[in-house]
Amino acid sequence: MATDRRLDVLRAIVSQYVHTREPVGSKMIAATQDLGVSPATIRNDMAVLEENDLIYQPHTSAGRVPTEKGYRLFVDTLSEIKPMSAPEKRAIETFLGQCVDLEDVVNRTVRLLAQVTRQVAVVQYPSLSTSTLLRVELVDLAPHRVLLIVITNEGRVEERMLEFPQQVPPHVISFLREKLNDECENHTADKVRTIVDEIRNQAPSGHQNFVEAVCSALTELLHPTAAESRVVIAGMSHLTRSHVDFTDIGALLDALEEHVVLLRLLSELDEEHSSGDVHVSIGTENPDGAFAETSVISGTYGTSSGAVAHLGVIGPTRMDYGRTMSTVRAVASYLSKYLAS
């Protein structure tokens, strides 16, 4: 009974501190929580929690605030993540349902996450290497220029301008466009690479260089390097309102500007989690020292074949964990549905 009550006291301290940023005292807990015990008993429970390094007293005569270890126990003992309400889910679906393509849905998603959680939001674009090819377009723009357009099943569009020393006849462009679409449609990047190797050998006489250039560009667009992985970020202004939670906000801001750092952080945190799971990393649990005073709530989204990209929320350890976890999970679920549609 005492252990359960102490957990309730810890939950009360975390909840109150998250919303007020003021140390929480025993009288406040007794007045706001139906624990059925006196403030004196609550003070005894708080003493035990402090001995176990779950809370601490910032200064004499003050109430208590959670430690990093206390936040971790709080998150680990959440019986369940409270789902978003039906109106909240409808609002998300309505807002994201207006998207016209993948670019639009990613940008809307990151803004939505930042707005709902009031934290920094990060969304990674799906990797092209796990996508399937939907359509290839070759547009003859000028006598020596051809625009290659690659469209994937998720609605992602990649382009590359190709220049040639001599004009490419329209019938050669049409031949290659039809050949690529007939043989590569609905195949993964790895399969497309194998197919274009065969198409290279079928190039019309005198136009091998053109076919080679297009085939090489296509495989490169479908196999981006790690440096080409993209993320979008929103909500940086929320950090200015939480600057009191950090001793060195400058290092954090610098890290957030480095997209490679963000990609590595999300990948390392979620590498053992499948699509739909939510992972919480608190304080020094984060692998990068710049995030030692933050909590990162992250997840993955993708198709039924597996997770293809990450998304997450970054903020001070003093955050509303239940609501933020629920939001990340709901948005990840919607993005997965979008990719599957």
Side-chain angles (χ1 to χ4, degrees):
M1 177 66 71
T3 300
D4 291 341
R5 190 181 63 240
R6 287 165 190 157
L7 282 175
D8 290 335
V9 171
L10 175 63
R11 294 187 185 103
I13 292 173
V14 171
S15 298
Q16 289 284 342
Y17 183 67
V18 163
H19 289 96
T20 66
R21 204 184 176 275
E22 294 292 334
V24 183
S26 57
K27 292 183 179 179
M28 173 67 73
I29 296 174
T32 58
Q33 306 295 316
D34 186 19
L35 299 181
V37 295
S38 67
T41 300
I42 293 175
R43 282 195 294 275
N44 291 334
D45 291 335
M46 292 170 70
V48 174
L49 293 173
E50 191 167 3
E51 289 175 1
N52 286 278
D53 194 30
L54 297 170
I55 60 175
Y56 73 98
Q57 190 175 28
H59 52 82
T60 306
S61 301
R64 305 299 192 275
V65 300
T67 63
E68 183 178 303
K69 183 178 177 181
Y71 283 124
R72 168 50 60 194
L73 181 59
F74 173 81
V75 170
D76 290 345
T77 56
L78 284 175
S79 57
E80 60 181 18
I81 302 175
K82 182 180 179 181
M84 301 187 77
S85 66
E88 288 174 327
K89 289 182 178 180
R90 284 197 297 271
I92 289 178
E93 293 177 356
T94 299
F95 181 71
L96 297 182
Q98 300 170 4
C99 300
V100 296
D101 55 25
L102 183 64
E103 189 88 18
D104 193 19
V105 77
V106 169
N107 282 283
R108 281 177 174 263
T109 296
V110 76
R111 297 201 309 271
L112 177 69
L113 268 178
Q115 180 180 352
V116 173
T117 64
R118 298 189 179 278
Q119 308 291 355
V120 176
V122 181
V123 178
Q124 179 187 12
Y125 277 86
S127 171
L128 280 175
S129 61
T130 59
S131 306
T132 57
L133 181 64
L134 184 63
R135 181 75 184 172
V136 176
E137 289 293 341
L138 291 172
V139 183
D140 188 1
L141 296 179
H144 304 287
R145 292 184 178 180
V146 174
L147 177 64
L148 169 64
I149 304 173
V150 177
I151 306 172
T152 71
N153 60 312
E154 297 107 350
R156 186 167 178 174
V157 179
E158 298 290 332
E159 300 178 351
R160 179 165 302 179
M161 183 71 68
L162 303 175
E163 296 191 10
F164 303 94
Q166 297 179 341
Q167 182 176 2
V168 182
H171 75 275
V172 175
I173 297 176
S174 297
F175 158 80
L176 187 54
R177 180 194 302 116
E178 294 174 5
K179 193 73 173 175
L180 290 172
N181 284 304
D182 287 345
E183 300 192 19
C184 298
E185 182 180 351
N186 295 324
H187 287 301
T188 63
D190 288 336
K191 181 63 175 178
V192 169
R193 185 192 295 273
T194 301
I195 294 173
V196 298
D197 285 341
E198 300 174 358
I199 292 177
R200 286 184 172 98
N201 299 325
Q202 304 171 23
S205 179
H207 298 288
Q208 289 87 352
N209 290 339
F210 167 70
V211 174
E212 172 65 29
V214 172
C215 289
S216 295
L218 174 60
T219 55
E220 288 174 7
L221 289 174
L222 289 175
H223 287 83
T225 64
E228 291 175 312
S229 297
R230 292 192 291 162
V231 295
V232 287
I233 186 170
M236 294 279 280
S237 61
H238 293 308
L239 286 179
T240 62
R241 303 184 185 98
S242 302
H243 70 278
V244 292
D245 292 292
F246 303 100
T247 57
D248 183 12
I249 195 172
L252 174 60
L253 292 173
D254 289 342
L256 289 172
E257 291 180 355
E258 296 292 335
H259 288 187
V260 173
V261 173
L262 289 175
L263 284 168
R264 185 171 63 247
L265 174 70
L266 294 175
S267 178
E268 289 178 359
L269 293 179
D270 287 324
E271 60 185 2
E272 296 181 359
H273 293 75
S274 60
S275 181
D277 287 343
V278 174
H279 178 65
V280 181
S281 183
I282 302 171
T284 55
E285 296 172 354
N286 292 307
D288 192 302
F291 297 89
E293 293 183 306
T294 72
S295 285
V296 181
I297 298 181
S298 56
T300 55
Y301 68 95
T303 62
S304 58
S305 60
V308 296
H310 302 87
L311 75 165
V313 168
I314 302 169
T317 54
R318 184 183 62 88
M319 70 161 61
D320 188 339
Y321 287 94
R323 178 173 176 78
T324 306
M325 292 165 70
S326 174
T327 302
V328 169
R329 173 174 286 179
V331 172
S333 176
Y334 183 89
L335 283 177
S336 294
K337 292 179 182 177
Y338 175 86
L339 293 182
S341 63

